[in-house]
Structure formats: structure tokens, C-alpha cells
Amino acid sequence: MPTLILEIHDLDDAIIDVITMEGGNPARAFHYLEENETPFPVKLWREGYRGRTFLGDIRRDDRGVWHIQDRQVEAEVDDA
């Protein structure tokens, strides 16, 4: 079964906590972050039998909606 890994970073990008969750649905991370009122940047990974895959940075927008942002998509938007 896949595992989700949440790396919680401080504002200087140092890892301050690592949370692991069983299951492959990345939306489970939103519930955890909401329950724990996490104010810091979070990097989301999925680990399975093929290794660890970066899914993206989790951000909350001004309306309070959680998003997983892939860095590659952000780079393409910046280039436009």
C-alpha cells in the first residue's frame, strides 16, 4: 500500500516535521493540515514499491482552499 509523506518546512525551508500516512489519496493530507492548523509550507510525497515520488507543494489560497502545486507547472506559468 502506498504511503503519503508530508514534509513540514519552516520559512527558511528547513524540515521541522515529517508525517507519514497510509494510503495513496493525496487529499488525505488536506484533512491532516486542516485539523492541525499547519501554518508552514508542506511538501507532499508518495512512497510505494517503486520508490518516492514528489507530488507537489501544498498551499492554501486566500479563500481557504487547499491546492497541490506541481513545481513544473509553476515554472511553465512563470515562463509565459
Side-chain angles (χ1 to χ4, degrees):
M1 171 179 285
T3 301
L4 295 174
I5 301 167
L6 286 77
E7 288 182 352
I8 301 172
H9 292 248
D10 65 13
L11 298 178
D12 293 325
D13 205 33
I15 297 173
I16 57 174
D17 200 3
V18 176
I19 308 299
T20 58
M21 308 172 139
E22 292 296 320
N25 184 352
R28 294 189 65 216
F30 300 150
H31 178 71
Y32 174 85
L33 296 173
E34 187 72 31
E35 288 276 317
N36 292 283
E37 300 178 4
T38 305
F40 297 108
V42 177
K43 297 184 185 325
L44 180 63
W45 300 81
R46 179 183 291 138
E47 189 167 44
Y49 67 93
R50 291 186 178 175
R52 187 180 282 196
T53 304
F54 179 69
L55 299 178
D57 295 306
I58 298 179
R59 303 266 188 241
R60 193 172 197 177
D61 67 18
D62 295 336
R63 296 174 296 161
V65 179
W66 292 100
H67 300 275
I68 299 173
Q69 296 178 324
D70 182 350
R71 287 188 189 145
Q72 183 176 2
V73 171
E74 286 180 8
E76 290 172 3
V77 170
D78 289 341
D79 292 340

PDB file of all heavy atoms in Angstrom, residues 31-67:
ATOM      1  N   HIS A  31      -6.933  17.065   5.033  1.00  0.00           N
ATOM      2  CA  HIS A  31      -7.628  16.861   6.309  1.00  0.00           C
ATOM      3  C   HIS A  31      -6.646  16.992   7.476  1.00  0.00           C
ATOM      4  O   HIS A  31      -6.941  17.662   8.468  1.00  0.00           O
ATOM      5  CB  HIS A  31      -8.324  15.498   6.318  1.00  0.00           C
ATOM      6  CG  HIS A  31      -9.009  15.194   7.599  1.00  0.00           C
ATOM      7  ND1 HIS A  31     -10.156  15.830   7.993  1.00  0.00           N
ATOM      8  CD2 HIS A  31      -8.704  14.333   8.595  1.00  0.00           C
ATOM      9  CE1 HIS A  31     -10.534  15.377   9.177  1.00  0.00           C
ATOM     10  NE2 HIS A  31      -9.661  14.468   9.553  1.00  0.00           N
ATOM     11  N   TYR A  32      -5.494  16.365   7.351  1.00  0.00           N
ATOM     12  CA  TYR A  32      -4.490  16.445   8.419  1.00  0.00           C
ATOM     13  C   TYR A  32      -4.073  17.896   8.656  1.00  0.00           C
ATOM     14  O   TYR A  32      -4.012  18.361   9.799  1.00  0.00           O
ATOM     15  CB  TYR A  32      -3.262  15.594   8.083  1.00  0.00           C
ATOM     16  CG  TYR A  32      -2.164  15.776   9.097  1.00  0.00           C
ATOM     17  CD1 TYR A  32      -2.160  15.039  10.265  1.00  0.00           C
ATOM     18  CD2 TYR A  32      -1.177  16.734   8.913  1.00  0.00           C
ATOM     19  CE1 TYR A  32      -1.174  15.240  11.226  1.00  0.00           C
ATOM     20  CE2 TYR A  32      -0.196  16.941   9.867  1.00  0.00           C
ATOM     21  CZ  TYR A  32      -0.199  16.194  11.027  1.00  0.00           C
ATOM     22  OH  TYR A  32       0.765  16.402  11.977  1.00  0.00           O
ATOM     23  N   LEU A  33      -3.768  18.620   7.586  1.00  0.00           N
ATOM     24  CA  LEU A  33      -3.308  20.004   7.716  1.00  0.00           C
ATOM     25  C   LEU A  33      -4.386  20.900   8.304  1.00  0.00           C
ATOM     26  O   LEU A  33      -4.099  21.784   9.106  1.00  0.00           O
ATOM     27  CB  LEU A  33      -2.857  20.532   6.358  1.00  0.00           C
ATOM     28  CG  LEU A  33      -1.650  19.802   5.756  1.00  0.00           C
ATOM     29  CD1 LEU A  33      -1.396  20.283   4.340  1.00  0.00           C
ATOM     30  CD2 LEU A  33      -0.423  19.985   6.622  1.00  0.00           C
ATOM     31  N   GLU A  34      -5.623  20.665   7.934  1.00  0.00           N
ATOM     32  CA  GLU A  34      -6.741  21.442   8.473  1.00  0.00           C
ATOM     33  C   GLU A  34      -6.918  21.169   9.965  1.00  0.00           C
ATOM     34  O   GLU A  34      -7.072  22.096  10.758  1.00  0.00           O
ATOM     35  CB  GLU A  34      -8.029  21.085   7.715  1.00  0.00           C
ATOM     36  CG  GLU A  34      -9.201  21.929   8.065  1.00  0.00           C
ATOM     37  CD  GLU A  34      -9.101  23.350   7.524  1.00  0.00           C
ATOM     38  OE1 GLU A  34      -8.497  23.552   6.463  1.00  0.00           O
ATOM     39  OE2 GLU A  34      -9.629  24.243   8.191  1.00  0.00           O
ATOM     40  N   GLU A  35      -6.871  19.904  10.338  1.00  0.00           N
ATOM     41  CA  GLU A  35      -7.046  19.521  11.746  1.00  0.00           C
ATOM     42  C   GLU A  35      -5.940  20.091  12.632  1.00  0.00           C
ATOM     43  O   GLU A  35      -6.187  20.466  13.770  1.00  0.00           O
ATOM     44  CB  GLU A  35      -7.047  17.991  11.886  1.00  0.00           C
ATOM     45  CG  GLU A  35      -8.288  17.327  11.371  1.00  0.00           C
ATOM     46  CD  GLU A  35      -9.392  17.331  12.395  1.00  0.00           C
ATOM     47  OE1 GLU A  35      -9.119  17.064  13.572  1.00  0.00           O
ATOM     48  OE2 GLU A  35     -10.528  17.614  11.993  1.00  0.00           O
ATOM     49  N   ASN A  36      -4.722  20.147  12.095  1.00  0.00           N
ATOM     50  CA  ASN A  36      -3.569  20.583  12.891  1.00  0.00           C
ATOM     51  C   ASN A  36      -3.207  22.046  12.667  1.00  0.00           C
ATOM     52  O   ASN A  36      -2.213  22.518  13.213  1.00  0.00           O
ATOM     53  CB  ASN A  36      -2.373  19.678  12.601  1.00  0.00           C
ATOM     54  CG  ASN A  36      -2.614  18.294  13.138  1.00  0.00           C
ATOM     55  OD1 ASN A  36      -2.506  18.064  14.331  1.00  0.00           O
ATOM     56  ND2 ASN A  36      -2.988  17.374  12.269  1.00  0.00           N
ATOM     57  N   GLU A  37      -4.002  22.733  11.868  1.00  0.00           N
ATOM     58  CA  GLU A  37      -3.800  24.165  11.602  1.00  0.00           C
ATOM     59  C   GLU A  37      -2.340  24.473  11.270  1.00  0.00           C
ATOM     60  O   GLU A  37      -1.714  25.349  11.857  1.00  0.00           O
ATOM     61  CB  GLU A  37      -4.281  24.999  12.785  1.00  0.00           C
ATOM     62  CG  GLU A  37      -5.742  24.811  13.088  1.00  0.00           C
ATOM     63  CD  GLU A  37      -6.223  25.601  14.293  1.00  0.00           C
ATOM     64  OE1 GLU A  37      -5.437  26.366  14.879  1.00  0.00           O
ATOM     65  OE2 GLU A  37      -7.389  25.445  14.641  1.00  0.00           O
ATOM     66  N   THR A  38      -1.802  23.757  10.305  1.00  0.00           N
ATOM     67  CA  THR A  38      -0.397  23.887   9.914  1.00  0.00           C
ATOM     68  C   THR A  38      -0.180  25.184   9.142  1.00  0.00           C
ATOM     69  O   THR A  38      -0.708  25.347   8.048  1.00  0.00           O
ATOM     70  CB  THR A  38       0.020  22.685   9.047  1.00  0.00           C
ATOM     71  OG1 THR A  38      -0.262  21.493   9.772  1.00  0.00           O
ATOM     72  CG2 THR A  38       1.492  22.737   8.704  1.00  0.00           C
ATOM     73  N   PRO A  39       0.605  26.119   9.687  1.00  0.00           N
ATOM     74  CA  PRO A  39       0.819  27.402   9.016  1.00  0.00           C
ATOM     75  C   PRO A  39       2.055  27.436   8.114  1.00  0.00           C
ATOM     76  O   PRO A  39       2.341  28.451   7.508  1.00  0.00           O
ATOM     77  CB  PRO A  39       1.014  28.360  10.192  1.00  0.00           C
ATOM     78  CG  PRO A  39       1.719  27.524  11.209  1.00  0.00           C
ATOM     79  CD  PRO A  39       1.148  26.124  11.043  1.00  0.00           C
ATOM     80  N   PHE A  40       2.796  26.326   8.046  1.00  0.00           N
ATOM     81  CA  PHE A  40       4.069  26.315   7.340  1.00  0.00           C
ATOM     82  C   PHE A  40       3.952  25.650   5.976  1.00  0.00           C
ATOM     83  O   PHE A  40       3.018  24.889   5.729  1.00  0.00           O
ATOM     84  CB  PHE A  40       5.126  25.570   8.164  1.00  0.00           C
ATOM     85  CG  PHE A  40       5.424  26.231   9.478  1.00  0.00           C
ATOM     86  CD1 PHE A  40       4.996  25.664  10.670  1.00  0.00           C
ATOM     87  CD2 PHE A  40       6.116  27.425   9.519  1.00  0.00           C
ATOM     88  CE1 PHE A  40       5.264  26.281  11.875  1.00  0.00           C
ATOM     89  CE2 PHE A  40       6.398  28.050  10.723  1.00  0.00           C
ATOM     90  CZ  PHE A  40       5.971  27.478  11.907  1.00  0.00           C
ATOM     91  N   PRO A  41       4.931  25.894   5.086  1.00  0.00           N
ATOM     92  CA  PRO A  41       4.955  25.218   3.786  1.00  0.00           C
ATOM     93  C   PRO A  41       5.082  23.698   3.962  1.00  0.00           C
ATOM     94  O   PRO A  41       5.772  23.228   4.863  1.00  0.00           O
ATOM     95  CB  PRO A  41       6.199  25.784   3.101  1.00  0.00           C
ATOM     96  CG  PRO A  41       6.500  27.058   3.812  1.00  0.00           C
ATOM     97  CD  PRO A  41       6.014  26.868   5.216  1.00  0.00           C
ATOM     98  N   VAL A  42       4.402  22.958   3.078  1.00  0.00           N
ATOM     99  CA  VAL A  42       4.397  21.497   3.159  1.00  0.00           C
ATOM    100  C   VAL A  42       4.709  20.915   1.781  1.00  0.00           C
ATOM    101  O   VAL A  42       4.150  21.348   0.769  1.00  0.00           O
ATOM    102  CB  VAL A  42       3.014  20.981   3.632  1.00  0.00           C
ATOM    103  CG1 VAL A  42       2.989  19.460   3.658  1.00  0.00           C
ATOM    104  CG2 VAL A  42       2.664  21.543   4.999  1.00  0.00           C
ATOM    105  N   LYS A  43       5.619  19.958   1.754  1.00  0.00           N
ATOM    106  CA  LYS A  43       5.932  19.220   0.530  1.00  0.00           C
ATOM    107  C   LYS A  43       5.304  17.830   0.660  1.00  0.00           C
ATOM    108  O   LYS A  43       5.416  17.188   1.699  1.00  0.00           O
ATOM    109  CB  LYS A  43       7.437  19.109   0.333  1.00  0.00           C
ATOM    110  CG  LYS A  43       8.097  20.465   0.139  1.00  0.00           C
ATOM    111  CD  LYS A  43       9.567  20.318  -0.142  1.00  0.00           C
ATOM    112  CE  LYS A  43      10.303  21.621  -0.217  1.00  0.00           C
ATOM    113  NZ  LYS A  43       9.671  22.762  -0.755  1.00  0.00           N
ATOM    114  N   LEU A  44       4.637  17.392  -0.403  1.00  0.00           N
ATOM    115  CA  LEU A  44       3.915  16.128  -0.387  1.00  0.00           C
ATOM    116  C   LEU A  44       4.600  15.112  -1.291  1.00  0.00           C
ATOM    117  O   LEU A  44       4.897  15.398  -2.454  1.00  0.00           O
ATOM    118  CB  LEU A  44       2.470  16.352  -0.851  1.00  0.00           C
ATOM    119  CG  LEU A  44       1.568  15.129  -0.898  1.00  0.00           C
ATOM    120  CD1 LEU A  44       1.382  14.532   0.495  1.00  0.00           C
ATOM    121  CD2 LEU A  44       0.218  15.500  -1.491  1.00  0.00           C
ATOM    122  N   TRP A  45       4.846  13.926  -0.734  1.00  0.00           N
ATOM    123  CA  TRP A  45       5.482  12.821  -1.442  1.00  0.00           C
ATOM    124  C   TRP A  45       4.589  11.591  -1.343  1.00  0.00           C
ATOM    125  O   TRP A  45       3.836  11.427  -0.392  1.00  0.00           O
ATOM    126  CB  TRP A  45       6.826  12.478  -0.807  1.00  0.00           C
ATOM    127  CG  TRP A  45       7.817  13.592  -0.793  1.00  0.00           C
ATOM    128  CD1 TRP A  45       7.876  14.622   0.097  1.00  0.00           C
ATOM    129  CD2 TRP A  45       8.892  13.778  -1.696  1.00  0.00           C
ATOM    130  NE1 TRP A  45       8.927  15.437  -0.203  1.00  0.00           N
ATOM    131  CE2 TRP A  45       9.571  14.951  -1.297  1.00  0.00           C
ATOM    132  CE3 TRP A  45       9.355  13.067  -2.802  1.00  0.00           C
ATOM    133  CZ2 TRP A  45      10.678  15.422  -1.973  1.00  0.00           C
ATOM    134  CZ3 TRP A  45      10.473  13.543  -3.463  1.00  0.00           C
ATOM    135  CH2 TRP A  45      11.121  14.707  -3.060  1.00  0.00           C
ATOM    136  N   ARG A  46       4.695  10.686  -2.326  1.00  0.00           N
ATOM    137  CA  ARG A  46       4.059   9.370  -2.259  1.00  0.00           C
ATOM    138  C   ARG A  46       5.167   8.342  -2.369  1.00  0.00           C
ATOM    139  O   ARG A  46       6.015   8.419  -3.258  1.00  0.00           O
ATOM    140  CB  ARG A  46       3.065   9.170  -3.396  1.00  0.00           C
ATOM    141  CG  ARG A  46       2.430   7.775  -3.341  1.00  0.00           C
ATOM    142  CD  ARG A  46       1.494   7.497  -4.494  1.00  0.00           C
ATOM    143  NE  ARG A  46       0.307   8.307  -4.373  1.00  0.00           N
ATOM    144  CZ  ARG A  46      -0.275   8.939  -5.396  1.00  0.00           C
ATOM    145  NH1 ARG A  46       0.246   8.875  -6.606  1.00  0.00           N
ATOM    146  NH2 ARG A  46      -1.373   9.638  -5.210  1.00  0.00           N
ATOM    147  N   GLU A  47       5.163   7.393  -1.430  1.00  0.00           N
ATOM    148  CA  GLU A  47       6.176   6.339  -1.443  1.00  0.00           C
ATOM    149  C   GLU A  47       5.477   5.006  -1.626  1.00  0.00           C
ATOM    150  O   GLU A  47       4.489   4.716  -0.950  1.00  0.00           O
ATOM    151  CB  GLU A  47       6.982   6.352  -0.144  1.00  0.00           C
ATOM    152  CG  GLU A  47       8.169   5.438  -0.177  1.00  0.00           C
ATOM    153  CD  GLU A  47       9.106   5.713   0.978  1.00  0.00           C
ATOM    154  OE1 GLU A  47       8.626   5.883   2.109  1.00  0.00           O
ATOM    155  OE2 GLU A  47      10.323   5.748   0.729  1.00  0.00           O
ATOM    156  N   GLY A  48       5.987   4.228  -2.551  1.00  0.00           N
ATOM    157  CA  GLY A  48       5.443   2.900  -2.824  1.00  0.00           C
ATOM    158  C   GLY A  48       6.571   1.950  -3.163  1.00  0.00           C
ATOM    159  O   GLY A  48       7.752   2.252  -2.932  1.00  0.00           O
ATOM    160  N   TYR A  49       6.222   0.840  -3.753  1.00  0.00           N
ATOM    161  CA  TYR A  49       7.242  -0.172  -4.030  1.00  0.00           C
ATOM    162  C   TYR A  49       8.230   0.285  -5.104  1.00  0.00           C
ATOM    163  O   TYR A  49       9.320  -0.251  -5.218  1.00  0.00           O
ATOM    164  CB  TYR A  49       6.606  -1.510  -4.408  1.00  0.00           C
ATOM    165  CG  TYR A  49       5.862  -1.501  -5.722  1.00  0.00           C
ATOM    166  CD1 TYR A  49       6.494  -1.879  -6.902  1.00  0.00           C
ATOM    167  CD2 TYR A  49       4.525  -1.131  -5.788  1.00  0.00           C
ATOM    168  CE1 TYR A  49       5.823  -1.873  -8.094  1.00  0.00           C
ATOM    169  CE2 TYR A  49       3.846  -1.132  -6.986  1.00  0.00           C
ATOM    170  CZ  TYR A  49       4.502  -1.498  -8.137  1.00  0.00           C
ATOM    171  OH  TYR A  49       3.822  -1.484  -9.321  1.00  0.00           O
ATOM    172  N   ARG A  50       7.885   1.308  -5.890  1.00  0.00           N
ATOM    173  CA  ARG A  50       8.793   1.825  -6.912  1.00  0.00           C
ATOM    174  C   ARG A  50       9.635   2.996  -6.422  1.00  0.00           C
ATOM    175  O   ARG A  50      10.373   3.600  -7.167  1.00  0.00           O
ATOM    176  CB  ARG A  50       8.013   2.262  -8.141  1.00  0.00           C
ATOM    177  CG  ARG A  50       7.409   1.116  -8.882  1.00  0.00           C
ATOM    178  CD  ARG A  50       6.788   1.580 -10.150  1.00  0.00           C
ATOM    179  NE  ARG A  50       6.249   0.442 -10.862  1.00  0.00           N
ATOM    180  CZ  ARG A  50       5.558   0.531 -11.958  1.00  0.00           C
ATOM    181  NH1 ARG A  50       5.302   1.716 -12.479  1.00  0.00           N
ATOM    182  NH2 ARG A  50       5.096  -0.540 -12.536  1.00  0.00           N
ATOM    183  N   GLY A  51       9.479   3.367  -5.171  1.00  0.00           N
ATOM    184  CA  GLY A  51      10.276   4.464  -4.630  1.00  0.00           C
ATOM    185  C   GLY A  51       9.416   5.664  -4.261  1.00  0.00           C
ATOM    186  O   GLY A  51       8.190   5.581  -4.191  1.00  0.00           O
ATOM    187  N   ARG A  52      10.071   6.790  -4.062  1.00  0.00           N
ATOM    188  CA  ARG A  52       9.404   8.016  -3.606  1.00  0.00           C
ATOM    189  C   ARG A  52       9.219   8.973  -4.786  1.00  0.00           C
ATOM    190  O   ARG A  52      10.138   9.203  -5.553  1.00  0.00           O
ATOM    191  CB  ARG A  52      10.241   8.667  -2.521  1.00  0.00           C
ATOM    192  CG  ARG A  52       9.568   9.853  -1.871  1.00  0.00           C
ATOM    193  CD  ARG A  52      10.431  10.456  -0.803  1.00  0.00           C
ATOM    194  NE  ARG A  52      10.366   9.644   0.395  1.00  0.00           N
ATOM    195  CZ  ARG A  52      10.760  10.063   1.589  1.00  0.00           C
ATOM    196  NH1 ARG A  52      11.260  11.272   1.739  1.00  0.00           N
ATOM    197  NH2 ARG A  52      10.670   9.270   2.629  1.00  0.00           N
ATOM    198  N   THR A  53       8.003   9.543  -4.879  1.00  0.00           N
ATOM    199  CA  THR A  53       7.665  10.480  -5.945  1.00  0.00           C
ATOM    200  C   THR A  53       7.174  11.782  -5.334  1.00  0.00           C
ATOM    201  O   THR A  53       6.291  11.767  -4.468  1.00  0.00           O
ATOM    202  CB  THR A  53       6.544   9.895  -6.839  1.00  0.00           C
ATOM    203  OG1 THR A  53       6.959   8.631  -7.338  1.00  0.00           O
ATOM    204  CG2 THR A  53       6.225  10.829  -7.988  1.00  0.00           C
ATOM    205  N   PHE A  54       7.730  12.896  -5.787  1.00  0.00           N
ATOM    206  CA  PHE A  54       7.282  14.208  -5.324  1.00  0.00           C
ATOM    207  C   PHE A  54       5.962  14.550  -6.013  1.00  0.00           C
ATOM    208  O   PHE A  54       5.875  14.532  -7.242  1.00  0.00           O
ATOM    209  CB  PHE A  54       8.336  15.272  -5.628  1.00  0.00           C
ATOM    210  CG  PHE A  54       7.946  16.655  -5.204  1.00  0.00           C
ATOM    211  CD1 PHE A  54       7.860  16.976  -3.862  1.00  0.00           C
ATOM    212  CD2 PHE A  54       7.659  17.616  -6.146  1.00  0.00           C
ATOM    213  CE1 PHE A  54       7.506  18.253  -3.460  1.00  0.00           C
ATOM    214  CE2 PHE A  54       7.313  18.898  -5.762  1.00  0.00           C
ATOM    215  CZ  PHE A  54       7.231  19.212  -4.414  1.00  0.00           C
ATOM    216  N   LEU A  55       4.924  14.838  -5.224  1.00  0.00           N
ATOM    217  CA  LEU A  55       3.625  15.190  -5.788  1.00  0.00           C
ATOM    218  C   LEU A  55       3.441  16.692  -5.924  1.00  0.00           C
ATOM    219  O   LEU A  55       2.718  17.155  -6.795  1.00  0.00           O
ATOM    220  CB  LEU A  55       2.495  14.604  -4.933  1.00  0.00           C
ATOM    221  CG  LEU A  55       2.485  13.084  -4.808  1.00  0.00           C
ATOM    222  CD1 LEU A  55       1.347  12.640  -3.912  1.00  0.00           C
ATOM    223  CD2 LEU A  55       2.391  12.427  -6.177  1.00  0.00           C
ATOM    224  N   GLY A  56       4.061  17.458  -5.034  1.00  0.00           N
ATOM    225  CA  GLY A  56       3.964  18.910  -5.137  1.00  0.00           C
ATOM    226  C   GLY A  56       3.983  19.580  -3.772  1.00  0.00           C
ATOM    227  O   GLY A  56       4.068  18.934  -2.729  1.00  0.00           O
ATOM    228  N   ASP A  57       3.896  20.901  -3.826  1.00  0.00           N
ATOM    229  CA  ASP A  57       3.818  21.710  -2.612  1.00  0.00           C
ATOM    230  C   ASP A  57       2.346  21.948  -2.287  1.00  0.00           C
ATOM    231  O   ASP A  57       1.558  22.260  -3.179  1.00  0.00           O
ATOM    232  CB  ASP A  57       4.502  23.065  -2.822  1.00  0.00           C
ATOM    233  CG  ASP A  57       5.987  22.923  -3.063  1.00  0.00           C
ATOM    234  OD1 ASP A  57       6.648  22.286  -2.231  1.00  0.00           O
ATOM    235  OD2 ASP A  57       6.484  23.456  -4.072  1.00  0.00           O
ATOM    236  N   ILE A  58       1.984  21.801  -1.034  1.00  0.00           N
ATOM    237  CA  ILE A  58       0.607  22.060  -0.621  1.00  0.00           C
ATOM    238  C   ILE A  58       0.518  23.506  -0.160  1.00  0.00           C
ATOM    239  O   ILE A  58       1.316  23.961   0.660  1.00  0.00           O
ATOM    240  CB  ILE A  58       0.170  21.111   0.513  1.00  0.00           C
ATOM    241  CG1 ILE A  58       0.220  19.665   0.027  1.00  0.00           C
ATOM    242  CG2 ILE A  58      -1.231  21.476   0.993  1.00  0.00           C
ATOM    243  CD1 ILE A  58      -0.166  18.654   1.075  1.00  0.00           C
ATOM    244  N   ARG A  59      -0.443  24.198  -0.718  1.00  0.00           N
ATOM    245  CA  ARG A  59      -0.670  25.609  -0.382  1.00  0.00           C
ATOM    246  C   ARG A  59      -2.157  25.829  -0.123  1.00  0.00           C
ATOM    247  O   ARG A  59      -2.993  25.131  -0.654  1.00  0.00           O
ATOM    248  CB  ARG A  59      -0.264  26.511  -1.541  1.00  0.00           C
ATOM    249  CG  ARG A  59       1.163  26.353  -1.980  1.00  0.00           C
ATOM    250  CD  ARG A  59       2.033  27.362  -1.293  1.00  0.00           C
ATOM    251  NE  ARG A  59       3.370  27.310  -1.870  1.00  0.00           N
ATOM    252  CZ  ARG A  59       4.428  27.012  -1.180  1.00  0.00           C
ATOM    253  NH1 ARG A  59       4.354  26.742   0.087  1.00  0.00           N
ATOM    254  NH2 ARG A  59       5.610  26.988  -1.744  1.00  0.00           N
ATOM    255  N   ARG A  60      -2.433  26.850   0.643  1.00  0.00           N
ATOM    256  CA  ARG A  60      -3.812  27.253   0.892  1.00  0.00           C
ATOM    257  C   ARG A  60      -3.993  28.648   0.294  1.00  0.00           C
ATOM    258  O   ARG A  60      -3.199  29.546   0.568  1.00  0.00           O
ATOM    259  CB  ARG A  60      -4.079  27.284   2.391  1.00  0.00           C
ATOM    260  CG  ARG A  60      -5.515  27.389   2.734  1.00  0.00           C
ATOM    261  CD  ARG A  60      -5.675  27.206   4.231  1.00  0.00           C
ATOM    262  NE  ARG A  60      -7.049  26.919   4.503  1.00  0.00           N
ATOM    263  CZ  ARG A  60      -7.520  26.643   5.675  1.00  0.00           C
ATOM    264  NH1 ARG A  60      -6.704  26.583   6.714  1.00  0.00           N
ATOM    265  NH2 ARG A  60      -8.785  26.396   5.850  1.00  0.00           N
ATOM    266  N   ASP A  61      -5.025  28.829  -0.528  1.00  0.00           N
ATOM    267  CA  ASP A  61      -5.205  30.133  -1.163  1.00  0.00           C
ATOM    268  C   ASP A  61      -5.943  31.100  -0.233  1.00  0.00           C
ATOM    269  O   ASP A  61      -6.285  30.754   0.903  1.00  0.00           O
ATOM    270  CB  ASP A  61      -5.901  30.000  -2.522  1.00  0.00           C
ATOM    271  CG  ASP A  61      -7.340  29.521  -2.444  1.00  0.00           C
ATOM    272  OD1 ASP A  61      -7.958  29.602  -1.362  1.00  0.00           O
ATOM    273  OD2 ASP A  61      -7.862  29.078  -3.479  1.00  0.00           O
ATOM    274  N   ASP A  62      -6.167  32.305  -0.711  1.00  0.00           N
ATOM    275  CA  ASP A  62      -6.790  33.359   0.097  1.00  0.00           C
ATOM    276  C   ASP A  62      -8.215  33.027   0.519  1.00  0.00           C
ATOM    277  O   ASP A  62      -8.723  33.572   1.493  1.00  0.00           O
ATOM    278  CB  ASP A  62      -6.786  34.681  -0.667  1.00  0.00           C
ATOM    279  CG  ASP A  62      -5.380  35.194  -0.910  1.00  0.00           C
ATOM    280  OD1 ASP A  62      -4.476  34.812  -0.140  1.00  0.00           O
ATOM    281  OD2 ASP A  62      -5.189  35.969  -1.859  1.00  0.00           O
ATOM    282  N   ARG A  63      -8.864  32.134  -0.216  1.00  0.00           N
ATOM    283  CA  ARG A  63     -10.233  31.732   0.116  1.00  0.00           C
ATOM    284  C   ARG A  63     -10.281  30.538   1.066  1.00  0.00           C
ATOM    285  O   ARG A  63     -11.343  30.077   1.435  1.00  0.00           O
ATOM    286  CB  ARG A  63     -11.013  31.405  -1.153  1.00  0.00           C
ATOM    287  CG  ARG A  63     -11.194  32.629  -2.053  1.00  0.00           C
ATOM    288  CD  ARG A  63     -11.838  32.255  -3.348  1.00  0.00           C
ATOM    289  NE  ARG A  63     -10.918  31.351  -4.050  1.00  0.00           N
ATOM    290  CZ  ARG A  63     -11.270  30.546  -5.027  1.00  0.00           C
ATOM    291  NH1 ARG A  63     -12.499  30.485  -5.435  1.00  0.00           N
ATOM    292  NH2 ARG A  63     -10.387  29.787  -5.615  1.00  0.00           N
ATOM    293  N   GLY A  64      -9.100  29.997   1.414  1.00  0.00           N
ATOM    294  CA  GLY A  64      -9.037  28.869   2.335  1.00  0.00           C
ATOM    295  C   GLY A  64      -9.091  27.510   1.665  1.00  0.00           C
ATOM    296  O   GLY A  64      -9.255  26.496   2.332  1.00  0.00           O
ATOM    297  N   VAL A  65      -8.937  27.474   0.336  1.00  0.00           N
ATOM    298  CA  VAL A  65      -8.978  26.215  -0.412  1.00  0.00           C
ATOM    299  C   VAL A  65      -7.561  25.668  -0.542  1.00  0.00           C
ATOM    300  O   VAL A  65      -6.631  26.388  -0.912  1.00  0.00           O
ATOM    301  CB  VAL A  65      -9.595  26.437  -1.812  1.00  0.00           C
ATOM    302  CG1 VAL A  65      -9.610  25.141  -2.606  1.00  0.00           C
ATOM    303  CG2 VAL A  65     -10.995  27.011  -1.690  1.00  0.00           C
ATOM    304  N   TRP A  66      -7.396  24.372  -0.237  1.00  0.00           N
ATOM    305  CA  TRP A  66      -6.088  23.713  -0.327  1.00  0.00           C
ATOM    306  C   TRP A  66      -5.810  23.307  -1.769  1.00  0.00           C
ATOM    307  O   TRP A  66      -6.702  22.875  -2.491  1.00  0.00           O
ATOM    308  CB  TRP A  66      -6.056  22.469   0.556  1.00  0.00           C
ATOM    309  CG  TRP A  66      -6.114  22.764   2.010  1.00  0.00           C
ATOM    310  CD1 TRP A  66      -7.217  22.688   2.812  1.00  0.00           C
ATOM    311  CD2 TRP A  66      -5.044  23.175   2.853  1.00  0.00           C
ATOM    312  NE1 TRP A  66      -6.897  23.029   4.091  1.00  0.00           N
ATOM    313  CE2 TRP A  66      -5.566  23.333   4.157  1.00  0.00           C
ATOM    314  CE3 TRP A  66      -3.698  23.429   2.640  1.00  0.00           C
ATOM    315  CZ2 TRP A  66      -4.786  23.719   5.231  1.00  0.00           C
ATOM    316  CZ3 TRP A  66      -2.915  23.815   3.707  1.00  0.00           C
ATOM    317  CH2 TRP A  66      -3.459  23.954   4.986  1.00  0.00           C
ATOM    318  N   HIS A  67      -4.537  23.413  -2.178  1.00  0.00           N
ATOM    319  CA  HIS A  67      -4.104  23.028  -3.518  1.00  0.00           C
ATOM    320  C   HIS A  67      -2.769  22.303  -3.431  1.00  0.00           C
ATOM    321  O   HIS A  67      -1.945  22.614  -2.577  1.00  0.00           O
ATOM    322  CB  HIS A  67      -3.892  24.257  -4.405  1.00  0.00           C
ATOM    323  CG  HIS A  67      -5.094  25.098  -4.587  1.00  0.00           C
ATOM    324  ND1 HIS A  67      -6.042  24.847  -5.528  1.00  0.00           N
ATOM    325  CD2 HIS A  67      -5.516  26.195  -3.908  1.00  0.00           C
ATOM    326  CE1 HIS A  67      -6.999  25.755  -5.456  1.00  0.00           C
ATOM    327  NE2 HIS A  67      -6.701  26.586  -4.464  1.00  0.00           N
TER     328      HIS A  67
END
